[in-house]
Amino acid sequence: MTTHKVALLAGDGIGPEIMDEAIKVLHLVEERNEIQFELTPALFGAAAYFETGKSFPEETIAACDAADAILKGTIGLSHEESKKIPPDEGPERGALLPMRKRYDTYANFRPVYLPHSLAHFSPLRPEVIGQGIDLMIIRELVGGLYFGTKTEGIDDAGRRYVHEMLEYNEEQIQRVLKVAFDLARKRKKVLHNIHKDNVLKSSLLWNTILDEVRVDYPEVSVKHVLVDAAATNLCLDPTQFDVMVMENMFGDILSDQCGGILGSLGLMPSACVGPTKSYYEPSHGSAPDIAGQGIANPYSMIGSVAMMLEMSFGMADEAANLWQAMQSVFTDGYSTPDLARRGDAEHIITTADFGDKVLSKLATLPTP
Ligand code: NAD
Ligand code: IPM
Ligand code: MN
């Protein structure tokens, strides 16, 4: 029997609620397969700060270091609550970014998927959704503005100033582009490169490196799109995209826009892949506006489990079963409130109901 060690970082807000559903799924996956998960829950984010004085405490670091993969819920506080923690020690700067840096999780996979049958979830007209949306954002995750040099002070004229640098070196650009080209080669052989080379020098270097990398991928055609135009195109015709690659901050913004196009951020799972370790998390935040009500959509969290099964544990078939089980909840006419259509109140279910329905369906699917 194979054992996989997984650190569980439930985090803040809806994190613990959706993590509960992920744990239920992991137990069923154990029952159905010749594997065992050694699950180690650990404090992370604001919850950790209030209990230990640190957002990413030593014990949690040790649990993550020892794990084969990390499954993370959500972190963060509401705008008002976040003022209770010094900015550099908060859940984002004090835990999430240091974790990304520690494990060098440079390739962030953010799948954006909506089949034609669920077009009614989207605020876009059904004819815009066409046969369905199925694209993958590859977001560079450990460079750019997020991790560049930052200085602040008072200038000669007595004004407060801040400098925040958008930094990349060629290695950082090259490795994420390779991930994107590899994926494009396996999929539709089209790569949309999202940049802003009409203004940013960082995009000029990015595109120079892209021209070097693409030599090894002659079968992949590259389409260049400026990031502002990409935002428009995603709304007008999201089906034109398959694999999209971009730097850190562009990916943060466009991936949330994609959540809007699908109808809810609750449909956005993700994988954050590093050279030796990967972690998996919903793309969205802790949703303070709905936390504690048991109504968050756990699809993003369970989808992150599916990505972990496939990408860290080589269980692609069981991951496919899990995606199918999740989709079947929707096609049976159920959804959490974030996706509910007006007048469909009888089909609105809770976070735990969604998890239970996924389990019932998964249990009927043949094991790999
Ligand atoms: P958010 O993503 O938490 O929420 C935006 C909106 O989407 C809210 O209306 C929320 O209710 C809804 N939503 C998000 N996930 C949902 C789900 N699974 N089911 C149903 N509805 C869902 O963004 P925000 O409000 O701007 O940020 C809240 C906090 O989360 C901030 O502190 C922010 O820093 C943090 N954050 C953390 C992560 C992360 O853990 N990776 C990501 C983004 C934001
Ligand atoms: C995300 C989040 C994070 C980011 C924040 C919480 C630091 O918005 O994962 O998309 O900006 O990367
Ligand atoms: Mn984000």
Side-chain angles (χ1 to χ4, degrees), residues 326-341:
M326 284 199 289
Q327 288 295 323
S328 78
V329 179
F330 296 137
T331 46
D332 287 349
Y334 298 99
S335 80
T336 43
D338 50 316
L339 289 167
R341 284 172 293 177

Side-chain angles (χ1 to χ4, degrees), residues 198-330:
N198 52 350
V199 175
L200 299 178
K201 290 288 189 121
S202 52
S203 288
L204 282 177
L205 179 62
W206 179 282
N207 289 345
T208 301
I209 308 292
L210 184 135
D211 284 337
E212 293 163 12
V213 172
R214 71 186 292 185
V215 172
D216 293 331
Y217 300 87
E219 65 278 61
V220 175
S221 76
V222 174
K223 296 193 187 305
H224 290 276
V225 190
L226 294 170
V227 62
D228 44 357
T232 305
N233 295 347
L234 274 168
C235 289
L236 295 180
D237 181 14
T239 65
Q240 72 184 275
F241 297 108
D242 190 51
V243 179
M244 304 173 80
V245 65
M246 62 202 81
E247 68 89 45
N248 201 345
M249 188 140 192
F250 295 165
D252 179 44
I253 295 169
L254 288 192
S255 61
D256 259 35
Q257 187 187 337
C258 286
I261 287 168
L262 298 185
S264 171
L265 280 170
L267 293 178
M268 292 287 297
S270 89
C272 310
V273 175
T276 56
K277 203 182 303 258
S278 300
Y279 86 92
Y280 300 84
E281 65 173 354
S283 294
H284 57 72
S286 56
D289 53 335
I290 58 163
Q293 300 177 40
I295 56 167
N297 187 347
Y299 179 101
S300 52
M301 188 75 240
I302 302 175
S304 301
V305 171
M307 295 182 85
M308 177 177 77
L309 293 180
E310 177 174 353
M311 299 170 77
S312 278
F313 303 143
M315 300 174 69
D317 293 339
E318 187 69 332
N321 283 335
L322 192 47
W323 289 118
Q324 191 187 327
M326 284 199 289
Q327 288 295 323
S328 78
V329 179
F330 296 137

